[in-house]
Amino acid sequence: MRQTQTTPYSNDINDRLAWLILVILLCTCAVIYLPAANGPMLLDDRSNLLFNQGIRMENLSLSSIEAAATSMSDAFPGNHPWLNRPLSFISFGLNHLFSTTPHLAMKLTNIGLHCVNAVLLFLLLRRILVLLGPTTQHSANSVALLATVLWLLHPLIVSTVLYTVQRMTELSMLFTLLGLLAFIHFRQRLITDSRAILPGIICTSLATSLAYLAKENGALLLPLCLLLEICLFRWAFAPQISKTVQTSYRLLLLIPTAALITYLLWVILHDPHVMASSRTFTRLEGFLTQGPVLIDYLHWFIWPSADQLVFLHDGRSASRGLFEPQSTLWSWLLILAMISVSVWSIARRKVAWLGLGIAWFFVAHLLESTVMNLELVFEHRNYLPYAGLALIIAVVAHHSLMQLSNQPKTACFGALLLIGLPFALATSERTERWQSEDRLLKHWSTNATDSGRYWTMQAAKHVREQNLKAAYKALAQGANRLSWEDGFVLGQLTLLCADNSLGEAIDEPALITHAMQVLQTPPLTAYGRSQFLTLVATCTNSEIKAQLNPLLLAALQAPSHKVRGRAHFLL
């Protein structure tokens, strides 16, 4: 077996210095993020946190905990209430319970979790680098620090930390990292001691369950364990380990991973042309689009420019085929080439860190970036996957600087400055925008006008300012740019109900006819569904209300059961 001692590392900075540097990096991260802790609650923050009565815990009774844990049940009606990310919502409930300013507490907790994850990532990467072999173990502390700072201060990660509801992603990664650390620990013992298999199974299963109950991505813990097995241990056992133990261990890793891949293939192949609920693309089109999207994620990691990291990516068009557009085909060919390089490097045991980093990125994207009924692009999906890319860049940067200087400390500090400083500045610039909704809207006004969410947030801002004409104009601009978004016309009707003077320059019958058409033409987007419910719940204008009966009749044919149910009730 390879040498696996962890300290001291020859030809590397020592542990004490490494931890001191890590503490400095964590303090730097906190200084950058803390000014944005009073930032706005956006998008799903409102429905899941601001208007969610279930998380307003007043004590630690079982009923309060259950109310918080099951408060997301409406979002996934097909799931058991206790499977809808209960740990994440309990944590939000605890913020309410122990703080007089819960929304500030939520963001501060997110920042703290990000720092904790950085510590766990450093420990995991250091262990992985030692096990990879002599080419990396002598620089384990330096490379692990470089990879950690790349991940910790990457500007794309800002939207995960400050988009409050993505506490789910942070918690899921926390338990995933703990599970991977436990896996490596017990796997090393299992090489010579078969008794390690039982505590290993218990710890890994517990971590998987906790990660899954924070967010469904936790199911990827076992595929990542399989990846580490192939890269680091290669199914090696001492002669005294029985064949039964070895076979059981292999099956415990292979079966869950095979089941997950089989499920994903079944979803895409079972009915590839079905239109996903509230989406404007089929399952196959959504899957094809993930090729260019993954390449975009890679691009944003290497070159995270401000005009690309805008958080709002809902204006992204779906690929209608491999050649529509042609970039779809080239993206998938590039992905296949990268996967081939990964398989070759791992199989040949050459530059295994490269193969591991590439494979980590794609394995960590297996759920949210394949066939799940989600939006095409969201930045928070890279929170865990970017750790693999950070490892690759860190190894390359460290080895390059070691060619210029044989002094490990010089190479480490040089790489930290060359990599960490630009990323820290870019992250600081981005967190500054997240300090207020006005700053975000100003940034989006030049970089995200193809986003439906930008126009709806602009309209909502004008409504809060009691400027309904400006709100109506924003929705009209959004409708002109994004004709597929159903919610704009329904939002316009809601504003028309609220202000009679708006109707002077508006063709009301034409607007209602248009609304009837969108309600009867699937799919009805998520924003369209919410706007319909808002419209029928708040419209008090008797003149407009009298004209809504045909709209309600049309809503009886809507694809959403909530819309149909509300229409039945009102009729």
Side-chain angles (χ1 to χ4, degrees):
M1 286 296 298
R2 302 181 183 90
Q3 187 75 355
T4 60
Q5 73 271 15
T6 60
T7 58
Y9 302 110
S10 59
N11 202 28
D12 190 21
I13 61 175
N14 60 48
D15 281 355
R16 183 174 297 178
L17 181 57
W19 280 104
L20 176 61
I21 294 172
L22 183 60
V23 169
I24 293 173
L25 293 175
L26 295 175
C27 292
T28 302
C29 177
V31 168
I32 291 173
Y33 273 94
L34 283 176
N38 268 317
M41 306 290 274
L42 304 171
L43 306 180
D44 288 351
D45 287 346
R46 299 179 183 276
S47 58
N48 287 306
L49 305 179
L50 283 179
F51 308 130
N52 184 351
Q53 295 297 322
I55 62 171
R56 300 178 186 274
M57 292 175 59
E58 297 180 355
N59 51 56
L60 287 174
S61 65
L62 290 178
S63 59
S64 293
I65 294 173
E66 182 180 11
T70 60
S71 62
M72 198 186 181
S73 299
D74 288 344
F76 300 100
N79 287 355
H80 188 279
W82 274 93
L83 293 180
N84 287 328
R85 308 172 186 180
L87 290 184
S88 298
F89 282 89
I90 290 173
S91 74
F92 291 128
L94 293 175
N95 286 138
H96 268 280
L97 178 61
F98 293 111
S99 174
T100 56
T101 54
H103 302 139
L104 173 62
M106 288 177 186
K107 288 189 183 283
L108 289 175
T109 303
N110 280 18
I111 295 169
L113 282 171
H114 185 51
C115 292
V116 171
N117 281 338
V119 174
L120 295 176
L121 183 62
F122 169 73
L123 293 172
L124 177 65
L125 292 178
R126 187 174 67 170
R127 199 77 209 106
I128 288 173
L129 288 162
V130 171
L131 291 169
L132 278 175
T135 59
T136 54
Q137 69 175 351
H138 297 313
S139 55
N141 270 336
S142 296
V143 175
L145 277 173
L146 288 175
T148 301
V149 73
L150 268 168
W151 180 85
L152 177 69
L153 296 179
H154 197 287
L156 183 135
I157 301 298
V158 168
S159 59
T160 305
V161 178
L162 296 180
Y163 183 24
T164 317
V165 78
Q166 287 311 319
R167 164 88 56 83
M168 307 166 181
T169 299
E170 291 186 291
L171 276 177
S172 183
M173 180 170 176
L174 183 144
F175 293 120
T176 297
L177 293 176
L178 286 172
L180 292 173
L181 284 166
F183 168 77
I184 290 178
H185 172 75
F186 288 107
R187 179 61 180 91
Q188 284 187 278
R189 285 181 50 191
L190 187 58
I191 292 173
T192 57
D193 184 3
S194 61
R195 292 174 298 179
I197 191 170
L198 183 57
I201 291 172
I202 293 173
C203 289
T204 307
S205 300
L206 177 61
T208 302
S209 300
L210 292 174
Y212 183 87
L213 292 175
K215 193 174 184 179
E216 293 79 2
N217 275 1
L220 295 174
L221 174 55
L222 289 177
L224 288 171
C225 288
L226 177 59
L227 175 64
L228 293 183
E229 172 63 44
I230 294 170
C231 292
L232 305 180
F233 301 103
R234 300 179 182 275
W235 310 107
F237 295 93
Q240 65 265 30
I241 303 299
S242 69
K243 295 295 183 183
T244 301
V245 171
Q246 294 185 39
T247 301
S248 300
Y249 172 76
R250 290 188 175 94
L251 291 175
L252 286 169
L253 277 186
L254 291 171
I255 289 177
T257 304
L260 175 62
I261 294 173
T262 301
Y263 166 75
L264 295 175
L265 289 174
W266 180 84
V267 171
I268 188 62
L269 296 176
H270 175 64
D271 197 351
H273 301 294
V274 68
M275 190 73 74
S277 174
S278 76
R279 306 298 176 201
T280 58
F281 49 85
T282 65
R283 286 175 178 168
L284 179 60
E285 290 168 347
F287 178 71
L288 289 175
T289 310
Q290 289 310 303
V293 169
L294 288 171
I295 299 303
D296 282 345
Y297 292 157
L298 290 168
H299 179 204
W300 297 345
F301 177 80
I302 299 169
W303 195 260
S305 60
D307 61 335
Q308 294 173 326
L309 303 186
V310 294
F311 178 63
L312 302 178
H313 302 282
D314 53 293
R316 178 65 176 260
S317 299
S319 298
R320 302 305 174 183
L322 276 175
F323 299 97
E324 299 178 42
Q326 275 196 343
S327 59
T328 305
L329 174 63
W330 298 118
S331 297
W332 279 107
L333 290 176
L334 180 56
I335 289 171
L336 290 175
M338 293 177 66
I339 293 174
S340 299
V341 169
S342 176
V343 172
W344 174 86
S345 64
I346 294 172
R348 297 293 297 273
R349 305 189 183 189
K350 294 183 178 180
V351 289
W353 49 268
L354 176 63
L356 173 58
I358 294 173
W360 179 290
F361 176 77
F362 288 117
V363 170
H365 270 295
L366 266 180
L367 280 180
E368 288 185 299
S369 296
T370 52
V371 295
M372 291 184 70
N373 181 25
L374 301 172
E375 288 188 17
L376 296 172
V377 187
F378 240 129
E379 294 176 6
H380 67 260
R381 294 174 192 168
N382 292 282
Y383 194 66
L384 177 62
Y386 267 13
L389 301 182
L391 173 63
I392 296 173
I393 300 298
V395 173
V396 172
H398 184 267
H399 285 186
S400 299
L401 288 176
M402 283 295 289
Q403 300 301 315
L404 301 175
S405 172
N406 289 324
Q407 296 297 321
K409 291 182 182 178
T410 303
C412 180
F413 288 128
L416 283 171
L417 286 174
L418 287 173
I419 294 174
L421 186 59
F423 275 57
L425 292 174
T427 296
S428 180
E429 180 185 1
R430 198 173 189 208
T431 55
E432 187 177 354
R433 295 191 202 103
W434 280 75
Q435 291 178 27
S436 74
E437 188 172 351
D438 286 342
R439 293 184 184 184
L440 282 172
L441 288 171
K442 182 179 179 181
H443 176 62
W444 293 336
S445 67
T446 57
N447 295 280
T449 54
D450 63 340
S451 164
R453 286 202 173 103
Y454 164 69
W455 296 106
T456 59
M457 292 174 69
Q458 190 71 263
K461 176 177 178 290
H462 292 311
V463 169
R464 289 195 297 272
E465 296 169 349
Q466 298 185 348
N467 188 349
L468 297 190
K469 289 185 177 179
Y472 189 94
K473 182 179 178 181
L475 291 178
Q477 288 177 296
N480 289 334
R481 287 174 175 266
L482 304 162
S483 58
W484 54 267
E485 177 52 76
D486 305 333
F488 290 128
V489 64
L490 296 167
Q492 288 172 290
L493 272 178
T494 302
L495 293 177
L496 197 59
C497 280
D499 188 347
N500 286 325
S501 64
L502 289 177
E504 296 174 1
I506 297 170
D507 186 349
E508 295 174 23
L511 198 62
I512 293 176
T513 300
H514 186 188
M516 292 168 58
Q517 291 173 346
V518 300
L519 283 173
Q520 291 179 303
T521 308
L524 182 64
T525 64
Y527 179 60
R529 181 172 62 245
S530 68
Q531 284 302 302
F532 174 79
L533 298 177
T534 302
L535 168 65
V536 297
T538 62
C539 188
T540 57
N541 185 319
S542 57
E543 183 179 342
I544 299 295
K545 202 170 184 179
Q547 301 177 48
L548 289 184
N549 271 352
L551 186 68
L552 296 176
L553 289 170
L556 295 178
Q557 307 301 320
S560 166
H561 71 279
K562 288 185 179 180
V563 169
R564 294 196 303 270
R566 182 61 63 89
H568 271 293
F569 172 76
L570 291 171
L571 285 168

